[in-house]
Structure formats: structure tokens, C-alpha cells
């Protein structure tokens, strides 16, 4: 089965707007364990001379604790929801068959992937959907090609992947008054994530987003909610001349960076420009609003918003069976352009099953006691 997302007359469509609200956060420690606290929150501490740095991105690579290439699916997001049912506005919907007044729940990676589709050239995607009490849960999965690539990384590819985490070690600290300490062994499993409730067009969303760091003079120990701070995004990118000019931007990369930032209201990306030896020589800031206007690679981000809005509209009409009846698998690749294929899978399909029984049981228990 398939449906078409028409690119014709995009300019005549109403552009959906996004409004977001931070409603929570959580940490993942070095053992990949969920922690309901701020222990992994990091603070951006810029170098004294951003035009002249010497950050070795493969320093201590041999002692790096690498993140598993296997999917965590939505386990940690579901843990946060199950610990904070009370933080979701009107947890008991006015519609009898619904539990939450939220249309879609997912992590930011899934919605970023959908948003970025109009400019994707190489990689396709698989996104599965399960419906529980009126809310549709979405989870992104590797394609066969991506799964093979992840399982067969070369040493160089491992170093390239790890270098982004190492760059963060040079740029953030555990306290706004402390200096970053890149001499420590790197643990890629450590993460800090924020939970956002959002309105996108006519769709209500709830999603998690990994946060590289914040700008704040205040050391925050209790909650980010109600505090004044700025979320920043850290990236690395090759530099090939003394001016630090970037030659290898693409519309696909711009789209992905912009959409990732858009979903967390990030205003600037801090980019480490690295040489061919994986050493960052210069730090350059890019206002997110300027990315779609870069010479040669201009992008119309409204195309991304309309594509995503239409995709979510289609899902609402297709995903009608409950999670214990079937799971829906949506798959798309650039060669099919505006055609999205989908099929129904068994509700307990081993590879794609992600809406765990423990979460459903806990939600049912909460619902029973809150009535």
C-alpha cells in the first residue's frame, strides 16, 4: 500500500506553525541507565580565542566507551511519561476513547527525519506507528542499508562518529564556572534530554530531544522549567582553507541541521571546523535562521513543514487499529520521491515492536486510579 504527498502547489498551502513548551527532562548515565534528574546537564563554556583552537577529536579514542549501535527505541521516553503522567495537561481526555490529549508521541529523530525528506538525496527511512488509546506513537528504525553500515563500521568511521562526542567534551562542562575537561575518557552513552509538548498545525505532539548544552550563568540543580537559559547545538565540519570557509554544505545537511534546531527552538549552532587530521582549528557560530539562505544551497524550509504536516494528516487517517491489533510500518526512499509505502505488521513483530507492555500496564493502572 502507498500514498502520495504532492509537492505541487506547495507555495499555495498554508504553512503550519510550531509552538513548543518545555515540560520536563531526564538524563542517561554512562551505563545507559535512565535517571530522572539533571545529572547529565552540560553548560557551554566557549574557548577564549575561538579563531585559534587545537582540539584533537581522537584524543584518548582507545579508552572511549562507545554507544551501542542498536536502537533504544522509545524506552527512555516511555519511562519519563510513566513517571510524569501528572505533567501532561488534562491527562484524562474529554473524548472517552482517548487517554491523552496528544496526537503523536516520538523522539525528535523521527520527526526531524520526516521534516527533512524533501531534501534527502541518499538515505531512506522506516518509521513504525502503534496506536494506544487514541494517541499514535512513532518510532524510527534503520533501513537494511543503514543497519549494515552501522554493523560494519571501519575504524575511520568509528573515529568520525565519535569525534562529535569528543568535540562536546571540549565545549561543555558540568558547571558554568568550570572548564571543560577533554582529558577524561569519553563515554558516548551519557545524554541529557528535554521533553517538549508542541502544537504543529492541527497536530499536538510530545517528543524528547537530546540537548548538547545550555548557556546559563546560573547552576541549575532542580528543574529547567521556568528558568532562563539558551539551548545550543554543537557540530563539527571539515575546513579546507585558512579562512575556515565551508565548501561541502548541501541542501540535505542544511535541512537536517535546521529542522533539528527548529524542534528545540535552538537559535545558533556552534560549529567546530576541523582539518584532515580530525583536529578542530576554529570555532564558528551559525545563526539557525541563516542556514537556509547560504549561497548555492538555499532551502525553502516551508516545503519541509508542509511535507511533514501532510504526512501526519495521512497517518491519522491510516492508523486506526489499536496497538494490540497491528503495527503500521511506513517506509520511504528518495527514489520514490513523494510516494510513501506502508504495510501492516503483526503487533508483536520482533524487529519493530516498541510500545512495551510494561508501559501500557502502568498507563492502565494510572488511568484506573485517576478516574
Amino acid at each position: 500500500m502507498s500514498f502520495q504527498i504532492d509537492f505541487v502547489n506547495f507555495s499555495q498551502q498554508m504553512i503550519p506553525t510550531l509552538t513548543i513548551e518545555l515540560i520536563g527532562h531526564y538524563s542517561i548515565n554512562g551505563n545507559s541507565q535512565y535517571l530522572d534528574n539533571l545529572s547529565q546537564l552540560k553548560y557551554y563554556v566557549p574557548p577564549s580565542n575561538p579563531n585559534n583552537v587545537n582540539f584533537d577529536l581522537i584524543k584518548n579514542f582507545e579508552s572511549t566507551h562507545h554507544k551501542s549501535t542498536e536502537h533504544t527505541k522509545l524506552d527512555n521516553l516511555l519511562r519519563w511519561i510513566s513517571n510524569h503522567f501528572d505533567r501532561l495537561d488534562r491527562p484524562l481526555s474529554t473524548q472517552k476513547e482517548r487517554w491523552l490529549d496528544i496526537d503523536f508521541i516520538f523522539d525528535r529523530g523521527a520527526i526531524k527525519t520526516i521534516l527533512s525528506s524533501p531534501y534527502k538525496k541518499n538515505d531512506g527511512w522506516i518509521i513504525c506507528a502503534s496506536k494506544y488509546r487514541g494517541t499514535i506513537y512513532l518510532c524510527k528504525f534503520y533501513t537494511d542499508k543503514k543497519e549494515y553500515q552501522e554493523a560494519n563500521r571501519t575504524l575511520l568511521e568509528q573515529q568520525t562518529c565519535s569525534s562529535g562526542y569528543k568535540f562536546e567534551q571540549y565545549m561543555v562542562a558540568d558547571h558554568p564556572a568550570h572548564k571543560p575537561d577533554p582529558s577524561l575518557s569519553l563515554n558516548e552513552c551519557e545524554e541529557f534530554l528535554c521533553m517538549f509538548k508542541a502544537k504543529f498545525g492541527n497536530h499536538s505532539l510530545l517528543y524528547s530531544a537530546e540537548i548538547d548544552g545550555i548557556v546559563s550563568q546560573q547552576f541549575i540543580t532542580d528543574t529547567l522549567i521556568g528558568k532562563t537559559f539558551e539551548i545550543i547545538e554543537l557540530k563539527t565540519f571539515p575546513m579546507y582553507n585558512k579562512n575556515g570557509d565551508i565548501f561541502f554544505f548541501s541542501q540535505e545537511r542544511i535541512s537536517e541541521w535546521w529542522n533539528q534546531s527548529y524542534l528545540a527552538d535552538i537559535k545558533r549552532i556552534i560549529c567546530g571546523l576541523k582539518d584532515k587530521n580530525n583536529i578542530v582549528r576554529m570555532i564558528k557560530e551559525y545563526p539557525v535562521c541563516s542556514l537556509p539562505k547560504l549561497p548555492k544551497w538555499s532551502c525553502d524550509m516551508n516545503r519541509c513543514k508542509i511535507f511533514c504536516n501532510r504526512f501526519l494528516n495521512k497517518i491519522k487517517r491510516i492508523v486506526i487499529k489499536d496497538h494490540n491489533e497491528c503495527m503500521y510500518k511506513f517506509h520511504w526512499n528518495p527514489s520514490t520521491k513523494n510516494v510513501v509505502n506502508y504495510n501492516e505488521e503483526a503487533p508483536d513483530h520482533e524487529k519493530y515492536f516498541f510500545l512495551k507492555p510494561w508501559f501500557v500496564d502502568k498507563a492502565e493502572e494510572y488511568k484506573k486510579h485517576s478516574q
Side-chain angles (χ1 to χ4, degrees), residues 61-123:
F61 175 78
E62 298 78 8
S63 63
T64 296
H65 182 83
H66 297 286
K67 182 185 292 188
S68 171
T69 58
E70 294 183 3
H71 273 294
T72 55
K73 300 182 180 178
L74 298 186
D75 290 17
N76 292 321
L77 184 156
L78 296 178
R79 287 188 180 95
W80 183 90
I81 295 174
S82 66
N83 288 340
H84 299 286
F85 289 135
D86 57 320
R87 291 196 190 181
L88 304 177
D89 288 342
R90 298 170 65 202
L92 295 179
S93 172
T94 55
Q95 301 177 47
K96 186 177 180 179
E97 72 278 8
R98 295 194 64 171
W99 172 49
L100 302 174
D101 281 329
I102 296 171
D103 297 323
F104 296 98
I105 294 177
F106 40 69
D107 66 23
R108 179 177 56 173
I111 193 69
K112 182 197 79 170
T113 295
I114 299 166
L115 278 162
S116 303
S117 297
Y119 289 104
K120 281 188 173 294
K121 303 295 184 183
N122 301 308
D123 297 326

Side-chain angles (χ1 to χ4, degrees), residues 139-339:
C139 186
K140 181 183 174 184
F141 289 86
Y142 289 151
T143 60
D144 290 343
K145 175 184 174 182
K146 180 66 173 176
E147 193 167 26
Y148 178 83
Q149 290 173 339
E150 290 294 322
N152 295 277
R153 284 181 184 172
T154 65
L155 176 61
L156 179 59
E157 288 170 337
Q158 289 176 351
Q159 290 177 337
T160 300
C161 181
S162 188
S163 67
Y165 297 102
K166 192 66 181 181
F167 178 58
E168 294 175 18
Q169 244 190 352
Y170 283 97
M171 302 295 287
V172 298
D174 58 6
H175 190 287
H178 295 171
K179 291 183 178 181
D181 187 0
S183 67
L184 299 173
S185 294
L186 178 64
N187 191 325
E188 298 174 358
C189 299
E190 297 176 346
E191 297 179 357
F192 179 75
L193 298 97
C194 284
M195 292 294 303
F196 294 101
K197 190 174 182 182
K199 191 75 174 177
F200 179 66
N202 295 321
H203 308 296
S204 53
L205 316 175
L206 179 70
Y207 55 89
S208 61
E210 184 181 354
I211 302 301
D212 292 339
I214 66 170
V215 178
S216 172
Q217 298 303 311
Q218 175 189 7
F219 179 54
I220 303 172
T221 59
D222 49 358
T223 178
L224 290 182
I225 299 172
K227 301 295 195 302
T228 300
F229 61 92
E230 176 193 2
I231 300 174
I232 54 97
E233 181 71 25
L234 298 170
K235 300 287 189 185
T236 63
F237 205 83
M239 63 178 293
Y240 293 100
N241 68 20
K242 63 181 180 181
N243 297 319
D245 293 333
I246 295 179
F247 293 119
F248 294 95
F249 260 124
S250 66
Q251 288 183 317
E252 183 172 2
R253 187 181 297 271
I254 290 169
S255 171
E256 290 182 347
W257 283 16
W258 190 93
N259 285 315
Q260 183 181 27
S261 301
Y262 172 67
L263 291 164
D265 196 28
I266 295 171
K267 304 300 185 187
R268 55 180 172 148
I269 294 175
I270 315 299
C271 194
L273 304 183
K274 58 186 179 180
D275 63 20
K276 294 180 180 180
N277 296 315
N278 247 334
I279 296 177
V280 171
R281 300 296 187 181
M282 177 186 297
I283 308 299
K284 190 170 183 178
E285 293 190 9
Y286 288 89
V288 172
C289 62
S290 72
L291 292 178
K293 304 171 187 176
L294 286 176
K296 298 183 181 180
W297 305 115
S298 61
C299 299
D300 181 2
M301 305 317 300
N302 289 333
R303 289 172 59 86
C304 297
K305 297 176 189 177
I306 293 172
F307 182 95
C308 183
N309 190 50
R310 290 183 178 180
F311 179 79
L312 296 179
N313 284 338
K314 292 284 189 181
I315 288 185
K316 278 184 176 178
R317 290 195 285 269
I318 292 170
V319 180
I320 55 176
K321 296 180 183 179
D322 207 27
H323 70 102
N324 55 2
E325 298 179 69
C326 83
M327 183 190 308
Y328 297 81
K329 176 185 174 185
F330 298 87
H331 39 106
W332 174 92
N333 64 74
S335 65
T336 62
K337 297 184 179 179
N338 58 339
V339 176

